[in-house]
RNA sequence: GCGGCAUUGGCGGAAUUGGUAGACGCGCUAGACUUAGGAUCUAGUUCUUCCAGAGUGAAGGUUCGAGUCCUUUAUGCCGCACCA
């Protein structure tokens, strides 16, 4: 009987569904284990073979854990709010919900074909009101909370109000509006005028992680800085805990480093500088407190609130011109153009240590969002200050012995201090400490830790997102009552912004709450993805995001698999969101994802044909890749992308190519052997004529015709082959090109495995067969536990080869269990053919009996001074001493030693014997 | 500039704790069966001057022993970046 994968896969997929085999209960005596994939955004293009890579890995792990007796939660859902559906809606008028639902249906269909063990009963969609009710609920909670810096955790804002009522006499004198304004400075979700990344083409603001090099990550449109009234989440309050929490979770070093970089902790000091002729000083942040004696000027960010205080009348015009220029520069211009610019304010500050007067400048190399937006400039020891000083001819005072500052600054934090009063003679490290002590004691400043991490801007001027549960009264925001959640997304007459420039929700009829206008912005993409893993635990619960008992059972995601592209977005936001809910007592773990694995990207492997464009070219002749460097064709061919689906092992399917597009209908070829269609008298193309295509590794994209659809692979080879092959491609974490050239090998193995089940017998296995089996058990168990899935496939192949035509039930049953996580359909059928009426996925993972792996004897290579001279066969069980004695009495050894006593004899049991003479 | 990761045959990649480098697959070569092969099976396939030696980007070091550990360096990929 042939291996009919289509029949087998269909049969078991419907059987699993019929039995509800993957339904997971929240009540079980079994130990819980939670395996999660990063849920996808359902794009219109459907899944390509890159998407399932991580899903296959997590599926293998889930199935393995289940076979090991765990109650495994393995859900799937859809991150279904987002820009593409909305852009499509603006272009075509199709409601984003319609597009999204259609795409989701397609995704589900594609995913089901691959045979994942998802509990589809737990599916969530972020655009579903029953889901976003809890996104809104969490936002509401953040609005009603503040971060207590003493306790280092979020608390209800009512506690802060109570505290003020008791201790702050001014609180009661404030008007309602003033009180609300003051509270806004403390709320975790707060409204403020902030400098935001505004993207005119997208018509919305973007968070920092949604902008890269001055362009929007989605679409690549220019982004400019603008001050707008926006909702933000006080993520920065959690910076310290987000950093510290990394030490307690099992993520890769590179990902942790990416997050550490993004959080950007830096230890330094805040110092106050008096302004000449003014009473109130201004504050700067520095990590180089040791260099105060070298400060020769000060610089403020253009947006700094200090600017208006220090500009003198005679410099006003100049400064305003400069500020105006800065305002109109886009982020991209600012990054690409690094020429020194700046303007003098007319004011002077007083150096608190030297008492000298130093000029105050404004320059956009100082960022308003970091530290205090003001710096003390030490040109001798900071390259940016140095460039500025050179440009404006400001003095440069070297502070470190031997530092040459004639050409460039000396930025290294090492050396002996000089020109620095009481710091002279100290090492930089000690000087920093001493200066910190000095400024603390004298009250000039204080030790301070700064973070690069900013608050997350949370408003989007878009339609297709979660509405804010916020309404406005007297211009102040108030939250919608909890009982009125979810606040459902209204229908609009137009998905574009209103004519007067308000967000699309301005087009909704009656968008009010108890007569008050509701917020017109919607939440960003990361809102819905920040707590979805909690919702999977208890997705039908209407009373809570997740029931406390249910949460106490599952606790947290034990294994999370997804791409690195979420390192500074989703993976920061959901950690923040989780910590907040933890602080407020709704969940029991403060980190959401215990172990995280990043799967690599699958790149496309494009194929090319080479059109002849040399002399006498008809534009219709294509040269085989192996010939393009021949003198007659060199530099006379033009590579053209060809659909990879009509190329196999780099050999072009000639007929398919001619049918592919009208322009190739009459294509002629120079084949690999140099012959042409003219040399060939037959109609069509004989089999021995091969046209070889060139190839390149590129991003998988429609325009390069290198997109491979998993459905096609499933159709041609089956889901089990797809699953095995994706794992076989290489280590999970590594990026690798999709290359179908090797898929036959994997498919051949499954066929061979299949043929082992022709006549299953009850015969007792031999020791050799058991040895092969237990070797396999050991290997596969180790591989899965260490996420080394790629190395299991060779182990299966070797075992199948060693077992040959063995069709003994005792062996085949165990083999099926081992294979079940990787290739569940064929394993299920094999299990069935061994006479079982249960499901293989409910079997018990076999244990390795090491006694089968012990060899009776083993050949030890005997080395002299590291060179192998001969081998000696000894019992495997021999002790170190016995081996040594046996070798010393061996004739060959005696001959080799020739009466010399060895300096050293090294015996590693089971390995090598080494003499040093 | 700072930080992280990688580099092994013609190709993808094995080598799990420092212990016989190149597993397994692709490709290639030869043979078998076949009207035929883009099917199947068998054997071979790191390199060289094939006796034997060399060999894991390069150069050193530690060790009886290094792809694996240390130092320096080259190349490639990724993250952050006028962050004071």
């Amino acid at each position: 009987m042939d291996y009919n994968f289509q029949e087998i896969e269909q049969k078991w997929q419907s059987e699993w569904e019929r039995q509800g085999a993957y339904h997971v209960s929240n009540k079980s005596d079994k130990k819980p284990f939670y395996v999660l994939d990063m849920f996808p955004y359902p794009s219109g293009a459907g899944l390509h073979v890159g998407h399932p890579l991580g899903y296959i890995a997590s599926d293998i792990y889930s199935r393995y854990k289940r076979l090991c007796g765990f109650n495994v939660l393995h859900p799937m859902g859809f991150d279904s709010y987002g820009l593409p559906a909305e852009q499509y809606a603006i272009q075509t008028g199709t409601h984003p919900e319609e597009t999204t639902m259609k795409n989701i249906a397609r995704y589900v269909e594609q995913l089901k074909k691959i045979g994942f063990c998802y509990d589809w009963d737990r599916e969530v969609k972020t655009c579903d009101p029953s889901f976003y009710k809890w996104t809104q609920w969490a936002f509401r909670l953040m609005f009603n909370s503040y971060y207590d810096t003493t306790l280092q955790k979020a608390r209800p804002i009512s506690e802060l109000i109570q505290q003020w009522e008791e201790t702050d006499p001014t609180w009661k004198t404030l008007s309602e509006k003033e009180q609300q304004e003051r509270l806004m400075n403390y709320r975790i979700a707060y409204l403020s005028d902030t400098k935001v990344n505004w993207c005119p083409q997208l018509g919305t603001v973007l968070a920092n992680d949604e902008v890269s090099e001055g362009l929007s990550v989605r679409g690549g449109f220019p982004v400019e800085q603008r001050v707008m009234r926006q909702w933000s989440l006080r993520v920065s309050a959690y910076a310290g805990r987000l950093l510290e929490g990394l030490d307690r979770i099992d993520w890769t070093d590179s990902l942790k480093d990416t997050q550490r970089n993004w959080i950007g902790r830096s230890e330094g000091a805040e110092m106050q500088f008096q302004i000449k002729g003014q009473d109130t000083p201004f504050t700067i942040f520095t990590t180089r407190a040791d260099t105060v004696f070298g400060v020769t000027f000060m610089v403020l960010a253009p947006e700094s609130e200090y600017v208006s205080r220090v500009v003198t009348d005679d410099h006003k015009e100049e400064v305003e011109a400069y500020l105006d220029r800065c305002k109109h520069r886009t982020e991209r211009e600012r990054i690409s153009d690094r020429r020194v610019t700046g303007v003098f304010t007319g004011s002077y500050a007083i150096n608190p240590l030297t008492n000298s007067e130093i000029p105050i400048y404004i320059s956009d190399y100082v960022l308003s969002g970091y530290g205090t937006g003001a710096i003390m400039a030490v040109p001798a020891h900071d390259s940016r200050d140095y460039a500025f000083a050179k440009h404006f001819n400001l003095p440069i005072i070297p502070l470190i012995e031997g530092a040459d500052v004639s050409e460039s600054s000396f930025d290294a934090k090492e050396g002996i201090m000089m020109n620095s009063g009481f710091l002279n003679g100290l090492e930089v490290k000690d000087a920093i400490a001493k200066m910190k002590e000095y400024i603390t004691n004298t009250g000039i400043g204080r030790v301070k830790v700064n973070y690069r991490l900013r608050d997350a801007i949370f408003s989007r001027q878009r339609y297709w997102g979660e509405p804010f549960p916020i309404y406005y009264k007297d211009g102040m925001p108030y939250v919608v009552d909890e009982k009125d959640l979810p606040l459902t997304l209204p229908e609009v007459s137009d998905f574009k912004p209103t004519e007067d420039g308000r967000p699309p929700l301005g087009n909704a009829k009656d968008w009010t709450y108890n007569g008050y206008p509701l917020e017109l912005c919607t939440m960003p993409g990361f809102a819905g993805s920040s707590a979805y893993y909690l919702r999977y635990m208890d997705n039908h619960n209407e009373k809570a995001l997740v029931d406390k008992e249910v949460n106490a059972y599952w606790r947290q995601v034990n294994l999370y698999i997804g791409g690195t592209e979420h390192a500074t977005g989703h993976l920061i936001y959901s950690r923040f969101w989780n910590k907040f809910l933890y602080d407020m007592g709704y969940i029991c773990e403060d980190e959401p994802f215990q172990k995280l694995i990043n799967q690599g990207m699958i790149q496309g492997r494009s194929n090319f044909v080479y059109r002849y464009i040399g002399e006498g070219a008809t534009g219709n002749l294509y040269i085989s890749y192996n010939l393009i460097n021949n003198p007659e064709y060199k530099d006379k061919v033009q590579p053209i992308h060809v659909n990879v689906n009509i190329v196999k092992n780099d050999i072009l399917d000639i007929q398919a190519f001619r049918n592919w597009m009208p322009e190739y209908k009459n294509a002629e070829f120079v084949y690999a052997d140099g012959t042409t269609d003219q040399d060939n008298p037959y109609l069509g193309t004989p089999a021995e004529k091969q046209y070889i295509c060139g190839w390149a590794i590129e991003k998988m994209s429609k325009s390069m015709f290198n997109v491979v659809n998993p459905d096609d692979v499933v159709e041609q080879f089956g889901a089990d082959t797809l699953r095995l092959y994706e794992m076989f491609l290489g280590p999970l974490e590594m990026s690798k090109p999709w290359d179908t050239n090797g898929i036959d090998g994997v498919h051949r193995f499954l066929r061979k495995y299949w043929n082992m089940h022709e006549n299953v017998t009850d015969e007792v296995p031999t020791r050799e067969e058991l040895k092969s089996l237990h070797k396999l058990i050991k290997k596969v168990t180790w591989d899965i536990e260490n996420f080394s899935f790629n190395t299991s496939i060779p182990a299966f192949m070797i075992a199948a080869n060693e077992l040959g035509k063995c069709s003994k039930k005792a062996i085949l049953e165990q083999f099926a269990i081992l294979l079940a996580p990787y290739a569940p359909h064929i394993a299920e059928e094999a299990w069935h053919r061994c006479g079982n009426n249960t499901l293989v996925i409910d079997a018990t993972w076999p244990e390795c009996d090491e006694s089968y792996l012990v060899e009776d004897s083993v050949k030890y290579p005997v080395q002299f001074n590291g060179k192998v001279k001969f081998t000696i066969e000894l019992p495997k069980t021999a002790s170190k001493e016995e081996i040594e004695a046996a070798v010393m009495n061996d004739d060959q050894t005696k001959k080799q030693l020739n009466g010399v006593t060895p300096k050293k004899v090294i015996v590693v049991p089971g390995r090598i014997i080494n003499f040093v003479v």
Side-chain angles (χ1 to χ4, degrees):
Chain A
M1 197 161 66
D2 276 353
Y3 169 39
N4 186 340
F5 51 84
Q6 280 168 339
E7 193 181 296
I8 293 169
E9 289 174 4
Q10 241 162 45
K11 173 181 163 189
W12 287 107
Q13 281 172 17
S14 48
E15 186 59 21
W16 291 328
E17 198 154 332
R18 197 185 63 78
Q19 295 198 22
Y22 299 121
H23 182 75
V24 186
S25 167
N26 286 339
K27 283 207 170 76
S28 170
D29 297 334
K30 293 178 182 173
K31 275 191 269 174
F33 202 91
Y34 188 176
V35 180
L36 183 65
D37 294 301
M38 288 186 187
F39 66 165
Y41 173 79
S43 85
L47 290 172
H48 65 64
V49 288
H51 293 109
L53 182 74
Y55 305 160
I56 294 169
S58 66
D59 199 62
I60 291 170
Y61 202 78
S62 302
R63 287 172 179 276
Y64 165 74
K65 275 287 173 185
R66 178 183 170 134
L67 286 162
C68 289
F70 286 84
N71 187 29
V72 179
L73 177 56
H74 187 220
M76 179 47 85
F78 298 94
D79 185 13
S80 48
Y81 271 134
L83 278 179
E86 182 163 349
Q87 298 286 61
Y88 187 73
I90 290 169
Q91 284 159 23
T92 65
T94 319
H95 197 288
E97 184 164 358
E98 193 182 311
T99 319
T100 305
M101 289 308 164
K102 209 179 91 198
N103 292 348
I104 288 176
R106 167 118 177 82
Y107 266 58
V108 171
E109 187 196 340
Q110 284 186 298
L111 289 170
K112 283 190 172 171
K113 273 193 196 166
I114 305 173
F116 295 123
C117 62
Y118 296 126
D119 179 356
W120 285 105
D121 200 37
R122 291 179 186 256
E123 177 186 346
V124 300
K125 303 179 190 84
T126 55
C127 67
D128 190 325
S130 70
F131 180 89
Y132 69 66
K133 173 180 178 178
W134 300 104
T135 312
Q136 292 174 333
W137 168 82
F139 178 84
R140 196 181 173 279
L141 198 61
M142 289 181 194
F143 182 84
N144 282 332
S145 306
Y146 78 108
Y147 197 80
D148 185 320
T149 47
T150 322
L151 295 172
Q152 277 295 308
K153 64 192 280 197
R155 300 299 307 152
I157 199 138
S158 54
E159 289 184 9
L160 186 65
I161 296 170
Q162 195 187 349
Q163 199 183 313
W164 284 341
E165 275 175 353
E166 285 164 9
T167 60
D168 187 348
T170 57
W171 173 252
K172 283 181 187 149
T173 67
L174 298 175
S175 71
E176 157 88 15
K177 190 168 178 173
E178 285 167 332
Q179 286 186 343
Q180 287 301 321
E181 270 166 4
R182 183 162 162 192
L183 286 169
M184 201 52 90
N185 296 323
Y186 293 86
R187 297 184 190 276
I188 290 188
Y190 65 95
L191 193 59
S192 70
D193 290 310
T194 33
K195 203 171 99 174
V196 296
N197 306 301
W198 173 256
C199 180
Q201 272 88 342
L202 293 175
T204 188
V205 303
L206 298 167
N208 283 343
D209 69 285
E210 295 168 322
V211 180
S212 175
E213 301 191 356
L215 299 175
S216 67
V217 172
R218 272 203 188 265
F221 301 116
V223 170
E224 59 189 52
Q225 303 296 304
R226 234 193 224 191
V227 174
M228 290 175 77
R229 198 154 174 79
Q230 300 290 318
W231 286 101
S232 295
L233 302 186
R234 210 173 291 279
V235 179
S236 63
Y238 282 84
R241 281 171 62 191
L242 287 169
L243 191 67
E244 169 273 325
L246 290 173
D247 298 334
R248 289 179 281 117
I249 50 183
D250 187 9
W251 295 13
T252 59
D253 287 339
S254 78
L255 191 66
K256 284 187 187 180
D257 274 323
T258 300
Q259 289 214 342
R260 285 191 188 110
N261 254 329
W262 187 258
I263 296 167
R265 181 181 201 270
S266 84
E267 269 180 48
E270 269 185 1
M271 286 177 65
Q272 307 208 322
F273 278 68
Q274 294 294 336
I275 303 166
K276 190 185 170 194
Q278 292 191 21
D279 291 337
T280 32
F282 70 96
T283 311
I284 59 95
F285 175 76
T286 182
T287 54
R288 292 296 299 273
D290 57 313
T291 58
V292 182
F293 287 95
V295 177
T296 54
F297 58 100
M298 314 288 294
V299 188
L300 303 177
E303 301 84 2
S304 168
E305 57 193 40
Y306 297 127
V307 166
S308 55
R309 274 177 50 197
V310 297
V311 178
T312 57
D313 287 342
D314 48 335
H315 286 83
K316 209 161 200 155
E317 210 169 300
E318 248 179 285
V319 167
E320 265 168 19
Y322 181 75
L323 295 183
D324 201 49
R325 220 183 96 199
C326 291
K327 210 186 258 177
H328 288 100
R329 279 224 290 186
T330 64
E331 191 63 10
R332 193 163 175 74
E333 282 164 359
R334 201 181 65 80
I335 290 165
S336 59
D337 179 15
R338 294 210 172 166
R339 275 176 306 182
V340 176
T341 64
V343 65
F344 179 48
T345 59
S347 288
Y348 291 84
I350 313 289
N351 184 322
L353 279 121
T354 63
N355 283 325
S356 55
E357 290 180 12
I358 47 179
I360 304 174
Y361 282 78
I362 297 169
S363 174
D364 65 359
Y365 83 85
V366 175
L367 307 175
S368 62
Y370 186 77
T372 61
I375 61 152
M376 61 177 213
V378 186
H381 302 291
D382 183 288
S383 49
R384 297 152 304 183
D385 297 345
Y386 187 87
F388 195 87
K390 281 280 176 187
H391 189 260
F392 286 96
N393 265 321
L394 295 161
I396 297 167
I397 308 171
L399 303 171
I400 292 173
E401 286 178 19
D404 175 16
V405 296
S406 60
E407 290 300 320
S408 64
S409 60
F410 181 84
D411 290 12
K413 285 187 186 180
E414 59 193 33
I416 306 292
M417 303 300 297
M418 62 177 193
N419 297 336
S420 299
F422 63 92
L423 298 177
N424 283 344
L426 288 175
E427 257 291 329
V428 168
K429 206 170 65 206
D430 304 323
I432 293 175
K434 188 154 185 183
M435 183 58 89
K436 277 183 182 170
E437 197 188 313
Y438 177 82
I439 59 173
T440 309
N441 291 341
T442 54
I444 299 169
R446 64 193 182 102
V447 172
K448 164 95 187 181
V449 173
N450 238 323
Y451 295 96
R452 203 187 70 93
L453 184 72
R454 314 282 168 83
D455 287 344
I457 292 159
F458 204 63
S459 304
R460 296 293 181 274
Q461 290 69 23
R462 307 293 304 196
Y463 172 70
W464 191 231
E466 298 88 350
F468 281 83
I470 290 286
Y471 64 94
Y472 290 88
K473 197 164 87 182
D474 297 330
M476 288 309 291
Y478 292 86
V479 275
V480 166
D481 204 282
E482 191 175 337
K483 69 173 171 23
D484 294 319
L485 298 181
L487 183 68
T488 49
L489 186 65
E491 292 302 319
V492 289
S493 52
D494 192 343
F495 301 111
K496 286 201 289 285
T498 62
E499 285 189 2
D500 54 355
R502 289 177 302 144
L505 286 188
N507 294 319
K509 253 188 258 166
D510 197 28
W511 184 234
T512 56
Y513 181 72
N514 296 337
Y516 296 107
L518 281 158
E519 169 69 51
L520 296 181
C521 285
T522 53
M523 298 187 195
F526 66 82
S529 59
S530 289
Y532 76 109
Y533 53 89
L534 293 169
R535 190 60 184 163
Y536 280 136
M537 294 176 181
D538 201 9
N539 66 324
H540 297 300
N541 191 332
E542 289 175 12
K543 296 200 175 71
L545 168 67
V546 50
D547 179 80
K548 273 194 186 179
E549 253 177 61
V550 171
N551 177 253
Y553 175 67
W554 294 112
R555 301 199 76 83
Q556 65 181 150
V557 176
N558 299 100
L559 173 67
Y560 196 23
I561 297 186
T564 32
E565 66 271 23
H566 297 110
T568 53
H570 162 63
L571 288 174
I572 291 270
Y573 297 129
S574 50
R575 288 182 65 219
F576 152 78
W577 204 285
N578 193 85
K579 281 174 192 293
F580 169 72
L581 294 177
Y582 171 78
D583 285 355
M584 302 304 288
Y586 289 97
I587 53 172
C588 62
E589 290 282 350
D590 92 316
E591 282 290 342
F593 315 119
Q594 186 188 49
K595 183 171 178 73
L596 185 135
I597 293 197
N598 288 120
Q599 95 271 18
M601 292 252 269
I602 299 254
Q603 296 136 312
R605 189 177 187 280
S606 311
N607 276 112
F608 299 94
V609 292
Y610 298 86
R611 175 185 274 156
Y612 180 67
I613 50 167
E615 230 170 288
T618 57
N620 222 9
L621 182 66
Y622 298 88
I623 316 299
S624 183
Y625 173 66
N626 58 315
L627 303 173
I628 59 168
N629 282 323
N630 287 6
E632 56 205 296
Y633 302 126
K634 201 169 165 68
D635 302 325
K636 291 176 191 159
V637 292
Q638 171 197 15
I640 297 171
H641 277 97
V642 58
N643 186 347
V644 291
N645 295 300
I646 58 168
V647 178
K648 201 187 171 197
N649 291 1
D650 291 333
I651 310 291
L652 183 68
D653 182 332
I654 301 291
Q655 278 315 319
F657 179 69
R658 286 181 174 140
N659 294 333
W660 181 36
M661 281 192 203
E663 57 175 305
Y664 304 127
K665 198 178 161 202
N666 299 311
E668 295 187 354
F669 301 91
V670 177
Y671 297 101
D673 59 0
T675 59
T676 66
D677 288 298
Q678 270 77 40
D679 300 332
N680 156 29
Y682 313 111
L683 198 65
T685 304
E688 67 269 22
K689 301 290 176 204
Q690 293 189 335
Y691 182 94
I692 302 175
C693 296
W695 58 274
I697 302 303
E698 296 172 308
K699 202 178 161 245
M700 211 172 257
S701 101
K702 261 183 177 172
S703 63
M704 298 177 187
F705 302 107
N706 61 2
V707 176
V708 182
N709 188 310
D711 298 359
D712 296 340
V713 182
V714 169
E715 175 84 13
Q716 206 183 340
F717 296 97
D720 286 335
T721 300
L722 174 73
R723 293 169 62 109
L724 281 181
Y725 188 58
E726 292 228 5
M727 291 301 102
F728 182 67
L729 274 176
L732 181 61
E733 292 95 330
M734 225 183 245
S735 281
K736 55 234 159 187
W738 177 259
D739 178 354
T740 336
N741 287 350
I743 200 164
D744 290 320
V746 171
H747 191 66
R748 254 197 294 275
F749 154 70
L750 284 180
R751 238 177 6 223
K752 192 182 278 180
Y753 170 71
W754 176 252
N755 288 334
M756 291 165 77
H757 298 80
E758 279 309 322
N759 296 296
V760 181
T761 70
D762 282 326
E763 278 175 77
V764 178
T766 64
R767 187 179 164 81
E768 274 306 296
E769 286 162 349
L770 286 167
K771 188 181 153 189
S772 293
L773 175 70
H774 284 271
K775 230 164 58 184
L776 185 66
I777 295 171
K778 191 177 179 182
K779 172 75 179 151
V780 174
T781 307
W782 191 93
D783 281 347
I784 298 180
E785 274 173 1
N786 292 280
F787 306 97
S788 177
F789 304 113
N790 57 320
T791 55
S792 278
I793 287 100
F796 283 124
M797 292 174 175
I798 293 166
N801 276 335
E802 283 175 357
L803 292 167
K805 290 250 180 299
C806 168
S807 53
K808 296 171 185 169
K809 184 178 165 181
I811 298 284
L812 292 176
E813 276 185 334
Q814 303 281 289
F815 203 123
I817 300 170
L818 294 175
L819 191 60
Y822 289 87
H825 311 88
I826 196 173
E828 201 72 81
E829 184 68 19
W831 179 254
H832 188 69
R833 288 185 80 178
C834 287
N836 293 293
N837 289 322
T838 53
L839 294 174
V840 69
I841 54 171
D842 289 326
T844 305
W845 191 256
E847 260 185 60
C848 170
D849 184 343
E850 298 266 353
S851 68
Y852 288 111
L853 306 184
V854 176
E855 304 270 354
D856 297 335
S857 65
V858 71
K859 274 188 181 171
Y860 291 84
V862 180
Q863 304 182 355
F864 285 82
N865 289 340
K867 301 258 160 95
V868 180
K869 293 292 179 186
F870 58 91
T871 58
I872 178 167
E873 196 158 342
L874 291 166
K876 176 86 183 191
T877 50
S879 71
K880 212 167 160 173
E881 288 71 26
E882 283 165 343
I883 297 168
E884 211 177 295
V887 175
M888 288 305 284
N889 291 322
D890 185 81
D891 287 344
Q892 289 192 78
T893 318
K894 282 178 188 161
K895 204 170 121 196
Q896 285 283 345
L897 287 171
N898 201 14
V900 181
T901 315
K903 250 196 289 187
K904 213 171 177 184
V905 183
I906 298 132
V907 177
V908 184
R911 299 217 175 105
I912 279 169
I913 303 153
N914 202 335
F915 284 83
V916 183
V917 288

